[in-house]
Amino acid sequence: MATAVSAPGKVLLAGGYLVVDRDYTGIVFGLDARIHVHIETLHTSTGITLSEIIVRSPQFRAAEWRYGYRRTEDNGGVEVIQLSGHSSPIQPRNRFVETALAYALTYVSSYMTSNIKPASITILADSDYYSRPEAPASATAHSSRFADFGVPLHEAHKTGLGSSAALVTALIAAVLLHYLPIDTVMIDTDVGRARIHNLAQAAHCTAQGKVGSGFDVAAAVYGSCIYRRFSPEVLEDLGDLGSRDFAQRQLALVDDKSFPKIWNTQIKKTDLKIPTGLRLVMCDVDCGSETPSMVKQVFSWRKENPEEAALLWTTLQKGNEDLAAELRSLAMATGPSPSSYENLRDTILTIRSLIREMSEKAGVPIEPKEQTDLIDACSQVRGIVGGVVPGAGGFDAIVLLIDDSQETVDELRRFLDKYEVAGESDGIRKRGKVRLLDVKQDMAGIRAEDVSIYQGWI
């Protein structure tokens, strides 16, 4: 029996930096670019018992990992170990896959006393998760939805759509659905989604080595929403996998049956809408620049200038709330025309101005001049309402709100074909191209998939 699950990527349209603090919120859109996980039982010869899970990512060269697993002593959970000599030699350890597997199998072991059967897992990414060179000839043998990227995974260039959060979420959901009775975790129910969210947040934080804001995992589970983060203290008492009674603590954390609830995440889906006639698009900026780690610098400036930062952040929060309100207002209007977007355009410009102010005060390139020039130039194209540098900012991508028409998309693509972005890498000035990604907003979160769409890849 095979099971398949997909989870969407994300874009933080507004609320970068603010979303790290529970006093503020972020506007996060799910995207129709998804990470897919297919799982099926790994059949063995009669009389042979294996404790092995094989994970493949066939869009990349030699991307296969083999894991052994075992229940640890003292109810410490299920330990997952990469088997040396079996995994592809050029692939480094994949901590997101390994951690998600260990956390998911630990949760499974809390509900079933029988042995966990071996499995084969295939991970596929919709094409726009990675910048693509010319497609290799072998790509034509497979479904066009999934590109053959032609390189090892560690050499692929991500486009910043939230692949790690979507991967962890989809992998955990697929493992739970594969092993557990159908009524334990149902992804189309509030309880089921909450359990997947809680387990994915814990696993993702462990894999990345820090307790992040979690908006990317929330988008992977719930889709587009206005997001207020959980208190970091929620995960404080979980401890390390393998420690005494880890499985018991994990079960209590994930199922969250206590009153009051352990988790205080706020997900507001009905407060976020995209008006009919508008769509959100993203542009991949590939100019050889590397986005620096800027969060630490911004929060250092905030700590040193608490009153100034508080005023700026409060004003930004107001701008973000105005943006969500304007989108809702337009969504409820009948047949908005281009002239109806003036308030939306002005709100976006206000938010960008405040972001540039934060950028200047903190001394970090949240909206670098290159991105300012690009967004301003795109905004002159007919049908473009406006745009921002999403999330933490930097040089990787921009997001635009545009008329939802093929004419506007084609005109924007023609404009970008001629546009070059200047950038700098290792002190060398470079020029790069901008690619319009084939993605748009998607209100839906995690979902089960028909396994037939993976024909040719499994």
Side-chain angles (χ1 to χ4, degrees), residues 201-369:
Q201 290 284 16
H204 194 249
C205 287
T206 298
Q208 64 184 0
K210 64 177 182 178
V211 180
S213 68
F215 78 87
D216 44 3
V217 171
V221 176
Y222 295 102
S224 303
C225 62
I226 295 179
Y227 174 77
R228 189 185 302 274
R229 69 160 303 154
F230 58 90
S231 299
E233 294 77 21
V234 166
L235 298 176
E236 276 185 353
D237 296 329
L238 180 59
D240 296 329
L241 192 146
S243 61
R244 180 183 292 271
D245 291 329
F246 173 84
Q248 181 179 328
R249 293 191 302 275
Q250 187 205 62
L251 181 64
L253 178 72
V254 172
D255 287 1
D256 198 7
K257 294 180 179 179
S258 61
F259 184 83
K261 295 286 189 183
I262 300 170
W263 290 86
N264 52 6
T265 316
Q266 291 181 12
I267 306 291
K268 294 185 177 181
K269 288 190 65 66
T270 57
D271 287 354
L272 184 60
K273 301 180 184 298
I274 281 283
T276 301
L278 278 185
R279 80 184 267 187
L280 180 151
V281 299
M282 293 190 68
C283 303
D284 178 31
V285 181
D286 185 15
C287 63
S289 299
E290 295 182 1
T291 302
S293 178
M294 301 180 290
V295 176
K296 186 175 180 180
Q297 286 178 259
V298 170
F299 277 85
S300 176
W301 164 77
R302 186 189 183 203
K303 184 177 180 180
E304 293 169 2
N305 304 273
E307 293 183 2
E308 184 180 24
L311 177 60
L312 179 55
W313 283 37
T314 299
T315 308
L316 257 173
Q317 175 69 17
K318 176 63 166 57
N320 297 343
E321 291 171 356
D322 289 345
L323 175 59
E326 182 62 22
L327 288 171
R328 285 196 304 273
S329 176
L330 287 169
M332 291 185 291
T334 304
S337 63
S339 61
S340 306
Y341 302 141
E342 286 307 314
N343 287 342
L344 180 59
R345 201 171 274 117
D346 291 342
T347 302
I348 292 172
L349 290 173
T350 297
I351 291 172
R352 286 182 59 200
S353 176
L354 292 167
I355 288 294
R356 287 195 297 272
E357 183 179 345
M358 184 197 298
S359 183
E360 182 179 347
K361 291 179 183 298
V364 293
I366 302 171
E367 187 185 297
K369 183 180 184 303

Side-chain angles (χ1 to χ4, degrees), residues 361-379:
K361 291 179 183 298
V364 293
I366 302 171
E367 187 185 297
K369 183 180 184 303
E370 294 87 347
Q371 301 289 59
T372 298
D373 293 344
L374 173 59
I375 296 172
D376 289 348
C378 288
S379 297

Side-chain angles (χ1 to χ4, degrees), residues 26-43:
I27 299 175
V28 55
F29 278 99
L31 300 171
D32 61 356
R34 289 175 167 263
I35 297 290
H36 302 252
V37 175
H38 175 281
I39 180 171
E40 58 187 348
T41 301
L42 182 63
H43 297 287

Side-chain angles (χ1 to χ4, degrees), residues 153-170:
L153 178 58
H154 64 274
E155 293 181 10
H157 179 132
K158 294 182 180 181
T159 54
L161 303 187
S163 58
S164 66
L167 165 63
V168 167
T169 301

Side-chain angles (χ1 to χ4, degrees), residues 39 84 87 142 144 219 310 337:
I39 180 171
S84 60
S87 300
H142 304 297
S144 60
S337 63

